[in-house]
């Protein structure tokens, strides 16, 4: 696993160059609902793995997913099935199910991570693996570029609860979680961890507001 993550970390150097970083949910929602042609164009650029894509564009695609009708992170049947296939080590079914998810949710970290594993196990091309790696690492990098994640004023923002684990264990290389609790006032999950070389704090803050507002 560590070798796989090391490979992913080398995939995305061009994604952060000259980014003009912004993150405003109201603006993103307005673009998704009122400038759909533009949003769809950015999604197409993201899907094509354009090396010149901006950090803001990845953010628009990722957080924009939460304002689409199909956004359903807590009750997606394909996501549920994917977890079962992953736990059973059924790479073929995991691959097929993850591909289905990508058709309507191209920023699903669950799907992308399983496609990385399954594509290797099933002998898919290096080009296909690289495409999943670019998207996966690009999203993780984007999430951690927007915030420090060590306070409620600067939390990492995610659109699905599972995304917290990918950020912590793969991007921040945290090895041990000690506890977690939800702050109902800030809608942040506060996770106590053992610090790592890439995150030298004992608490990680994740903004789950988009997910919680949707489920409520």
């Amino acid at each position: 696993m560590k070798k796989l993550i090391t490979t992913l970390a080398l995939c995305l150097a061009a994604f952060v160059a000259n980014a003009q970083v912004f993150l405003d949910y109201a603006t993103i929602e307005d673009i998704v609902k009122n400038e759909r042609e533009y949003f769809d164009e950015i999604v197409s650029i993201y899907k094509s793995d354009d090396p010149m894509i901006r950090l803001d564009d990845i953010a628009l695609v990722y957080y924009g997913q939460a304002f689409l009708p199909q956004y359903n992170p807590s009750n997606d049947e394909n996501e549920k099935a994917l977890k079962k296939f992953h736990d059973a080590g059924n790479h073929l079914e995991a691959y097929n199910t993850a591909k289905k998810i990508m058709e309507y949710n191209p920023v699903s970290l669950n799907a992308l991570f399983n496609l990385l594993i399954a594509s290797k196990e099933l002998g898919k091309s290096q080009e296909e693996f690289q495409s999943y790696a670019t998207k996966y690492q690009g999203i993780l990098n984007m999430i951690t570029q927007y915030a420090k994640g060590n306070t409620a004023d600067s939390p990492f923002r995610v659109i699905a609860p599972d995304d917290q684990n990918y950020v912590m264990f793969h991007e921040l290389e945290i090895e041990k979680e000690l506890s977690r609790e939800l702050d109902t006032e800030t809608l942040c999950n506060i996770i106590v961890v053992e610090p790592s070389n890439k995150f030298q704090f004992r608490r990680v803050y994740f903004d789950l507001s988009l997910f919680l507002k949707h489920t409520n």
Side-chain angles (χ1 to χ4, degrees):
M1 178 62 69
K2 186 171 291 186
K3 185 176 181 181
L4 173 63
I5 301 307
T6 301
T7 301
L8 301 184
L10 300 176
C11 292
L12 206 67
F15 267 16
V16 297
N18 301 317
Q20 299 296 315
V21 176
F22 77 95
L23 181 54
D24 179 75
Y25 287 160
T27 299
I28 292 173
E29 181 177 16
D30 182 67
I31 292 173
V32 172
K33 294 183 176 179
N34 299 315
E35 299 181 51
R36 188 56 182 270
E37 186 174 340
Y38 172 73
F39 176 73
D40 290 343
E41 180 182 344
I42 299 301
V43 172
S44 295
I45 293 172
Y46 161 80
K47 287 182 176 180
S48 72
D49 302 320
D50 187 329
M52 299 306 294
I53 193 170
R54 301 178 309 139
L55 206 66
D56 291 346
D57 295 332
I58 301 173
L60 177 60
V61 177
Y62 177 78
Y63 296 107
Q65 180 69 29
F67 301 105
L68 293 172
Q70 63 265 31
Y71 177 61
N72 191 22
S74 61
N75 197 32
D76 186 300
E77 293 302 323
N78 285 324
E79 291 273 5
K80 292 178 181 178
L82 179 60
K83 290 181 180 180
K84 292 180 180 179
F85 294 136
H86 173 85
D87 292 341
N90 189 334
H91 300 299
L92 179 59
E93 289 300 329
Y95 177 87
N96 291 334
T97 304
K99 292 284 281 188
K100 290 179 184 177
I101 294 171
M102 290 291 289
E103 291 176 5
Y104 58 86
N105 182 6
V107 295
S108 168
L109 290 177
N110 279 332
L112 287 167
F113 182 68
N114 277 275
L115 285 169
L116 283 168
I117 296 174
S119 63
K120 280 292 188 182
E121 294 293 333
L122 298 173
K124 302 296 181 180
S125 69
Q126 179 62 29
E127 182 180 8
E128 182 176 354
F129 173 86
Q130 183 71 39
S131 178
Y132 303 139
T134 297
K135 293 179 177 66
Y136 180 78
Q137 190 62 43
I139 293 169
L140 294 182
N141 179 74
M142 178 276 295
I143 292 170
T144 55
Q145 286 291 312
Y146 276 113
K148 293 183 178 180
N150 63 328
T151 68
D153 293 327
S154 184
F156 297 130
R157 304 188 186 193
V158 294
I159 62 173
D162 287 347
D163 293 359
Q164 298 172 105
N165 293 333
Y166 293 114
V167 171
M168 284 197 305
F169 301 129
H170 295 177
E171 181 66 12
L172 302 179
E173 298 179 0
I174 291 169
E175 295 187 356
K176 190 172 183 179
E177 173 187 331
L178 302 176
S179 67
R180 67 171 66 188
E181 64 176 318
L182 177 67
D183 183 334
T184 56
E185 182 176 348
T186 64
L187 300 184
C188 283
N189 236 5
I190 306 171
I191 304 178
V192 180
V193 301
E194 289 189 356
S196 69
N197 289 333
K198 294 184 70 174
F199 189 80
Q200 299 178 356
F201 306 95
R202 294 194 62 82
R203 288 176 174 79
V204 192
Y205 290 76
F206 285 97
D207 181 328
L208 291 174
S209 59
L210 289 177
F211 167 76
L212 292 171
K213 289 176 182 177
H214 175 82
T215 54
N216 287 339

